[in-house]
Amino acid sequence: MSSDANTAVLRNCIRLPLAEDELLEVTAKAKDYAIMHGAAMRSKTAFSPDSLNFAPFVLVPSSFPRKEFEKAVALQPIINRLMHNVAHDEEFITTTLAETIKVDEFTANLFNIYRKVLAHGFTQKTSLGMLRSDLMLESGCPELSPRALRTAAGEDRGQDAGAAVGQIAGANGAAGVGTAAGTGSKEEEHREVQLSRVTKEPERRATGAQSAYCCWKQVEINTIASGFGHLGPASKTIQRFVLSELGHADKLHNMPDNNALAGLCDGMVKAWDIYAKPQAVILFIIEDVSYNICDQRFHEFYIRETYPHIKVLRRTLTEVHREGKLGQSKELLLGSQEVAVIYFRAGYEPGHYHSQADWDARYLMETSLAIKCPSIHYHLAGTKKVQQALAQPAVLERFINDPEEIKAVGKIFTGLYSLDDNEAGNASYEMALRTPERFVLKPQREGGGNNVYGVDIPDALKRMSRVERSAWILMDLIHPPLTKGYMVRPGGDMPPQIVDMVSELGIFGVVIGDAEHIVHNYQAGHMLRTKLSTANEGGVAAGLGALDSPYLIDSDDEDEQK
Ligand code: ADP
Ligand code: MG
C-alpha cells in the first residue's frame, strides 16, 4: 500500500521528535515495561517455550478522532445483533455461500459441518459470539464534510454530490450496486453513497482534498479467534507509562478505558453459567505452537484469578480427536472432564487442520452440548463473502428493524463487490482490471497475508477461471490518514526512527443467545494495531504491525501541536 504526498496526517499527541538521550532512555524502559507486563510474544526466529520477546509497539499512542471512536463503540452492540441474526439465518448463509463453496475447499468443509449439524438439529442452541469489528479511518470519506476537507478543497465538496450521482447513474452496473428507480428509497440512498464514493474519491485525491479528522469504514468483522483482548489493554498500559515518563501525565485522560480482557473472559464465564455444571471446564482450542501466547494465557489467568472455581484446558484439534468423546447427553468429554464452553483460538485457516482427524474433531465439538465460540454458523457468518453480501442494498433490512440503525450500519461499509460468475460479478471483474489501484482482492481466509493489493490484482484475477473468482471478493481500498511516530521492535534500531504509520482499530463485542433470544449483548473494549504506511498488512504476530492504542482528539483542536 502506498500513500501519496497528499495523504492527510493526524496531529500527534505530543511534540516529536524527542531529544535522542530522552528517546533512548524511555525506549529502553518501555521495552522492559512491555516484557514485564506481558506485552510479549514467543520469538518465531529463535523459538523457545521458555522465553518471550516484547511485542512490537508504538512508543506514544496514535491519534484517533474522538467522535469516530465513540461512534464505533456505540455501534458495536448493533453489529453484534446483526451478526447474531445473520448467523441464525440458514437461507441467507446458504445462498450467500452457494457459489463460494463450489470452489473454496476450506469454506466447503466448514459448510459441510454446518449442513450435517442442520440435518441432525443443534444439540446446543446457545452460541457465544466474541466478535471484533476492524475498521480504518477513510481520509477521503464522502459522507463527512469536515472543516479540514472544506479548507483543502476551497469549498464545501458536498454541494455537488447530487450532480455526481446523476453523472454516474449509467455506470451503476460496473459499481456493482442496485438499479432501483425513484428517489428516497433505501436502495437509492445506498446507491447514492456508493456512487458518490466512486466519483468523488479520485477527484478528492487529485485535489488533495483529504481530511485527517475523518470517518471510518469497516475492514472486516471477525467471528473466530478475535485476538488482542489482552494485548489491546496492555498497549495502553505501556503507552500510559511512556507518556507519564515523558512528563505528559496530564494527557492520559484522552486514552480511553480498555477492559477488553475482562469483557471477553466474562463473556466466556456467562456462557459457562448458562451451561450450569459446576465441574465443567472451559476449553481453548489452540494451534500446535502459540506464538501469541500472552494473548491466550492472560485470558486463562484472568478466568482462574477472577473465578477460582473454573478451570481452563488447552488442546489442539488433534488432541481433541484423540481424547474427546460424547457422553450420553452429547456432552463433550475430554477423559473424564466435561467441557462447558469451547473457545477457538485456532481452526480458522486450512493449515490448522492437518488431516481428516482434525476435521472430525471440529465436527465432534460442533455436535456436542458445549457452547461454542464460535459455533459453525457464527464462523460462516464471519466470512468475507457474507460481509460483501451484507453491504449490498436492502440486505441489512433483513436483519435489523430500526431504520436509524440500518442507516448507521450501512454507512460503515466501503464498496464491496461480488466476483461471482454473473452479470454483476463480471462487471466487478472488468472494473478491477481497469482500475486495480482502487481495490483489494480477498479470499475466504482469516489471519492475514492472504489478500492481493492494487496492481497485483489483474494478474491474480487472470490466473483464475470465472468460477474460481467466486471464492474471492473485491473491496475498495481504504486510505487512512498518516500518523508519525516511533515503532519499537525486538532487534530494531536504537534509537528508533520516526516513521509514517497507519492504524486499524478493532472493537470487541460479546453476544450470547440462541435463534430466538439474545441474553447478553455488549461492547467489550478495543485494540489498535499500527503498521508502516508502506505495508499492505499489519499483523503484529506476522511481524509487520505494532501494538498501539488510541489517543482521542477533537476536530477543533486540530492545530494544537503545530
Ligand atoms: P484477515 O482476515 O486476513 O485479517 P483482512 O480483511 O482483515 O483479512 O485484511 C488484512 C489486512 O489488510 C487488514 O488488517 C488491513 O491492514 C488490510 N486491508 C484489508 N482490507 C483493506 C481495505 N479495504 N483497505 C485498506 N487496507 C485493507
Ligand atoms: Mg483482519
Side-chain angles (χ1 to χ4, degrees), residues 132 134 219-220 222 384 446-448 504 529:
R132 202 187 68 211
D134 289 343
V219 173
E220 68 156 343
N222 300 284
K384 309 280 191 289
E446 301 296 326
E504 182 172 350
R529 265 177 310 179

Side-chain angles (χ1 to χ4, degrees), residues 114-125 330 363 366-368:
Y114 178 54
R115 207 171 356 223
K116 282 198 276 178
V117 173
L118 279 174
H120 295 108
F122 289 92
T123 312
Q124 176 54 259
K125 298 208 169 0
K330 295 207 178 172
Y363 179 63
E366 210 53 53
T367 54
S368 80

Side-chain angles (χ1 to χ4, degrees), residues 1 132 134 136 218-220 222 384 387 414-415 439-440 442 445-451 453 475-480 504 529 531 535-539:
M1 192 178 295
R132 202 187 68 211
D134 289 343
M136 278 177 165
Q218 186 176 67
V219 173
E220 68 156 343
N222 300 284
K384 309 280 191 289
Q387 182 193 12
T414 190
F439 300 110
V440 48
K442 298 187 179 185
R445 293 289 177 277
E446 301 296 326
N450 303 300
N451 300 342
Y453 294 85
M475 182 175 188
D476 283 350
L477 263 181
I478 305 169
H479 304 94
E504 182 172 350
R529 265 177 310 179
K531 65 183 179 184
N536 281 326
E537 297 196 13

Side-chain angles (χ1 to χ4, degrees), residues 23 98 131 141 175 219 277 279 285 297 337 345 365 400 415 425 430 444 533 550 561:
L23 176 62
L131 315 179
C141 180
V219 173
K277 296 258 190 83
Q279 300 305 320
I285 299 298
R297 285 290 190 203
Q337 304 196 78
R345 285 302 293 254
M365 290 187 274
I400 305 177
E430 297 296 334
Q444 309 306 309
S533 64
Q561 292 303 321

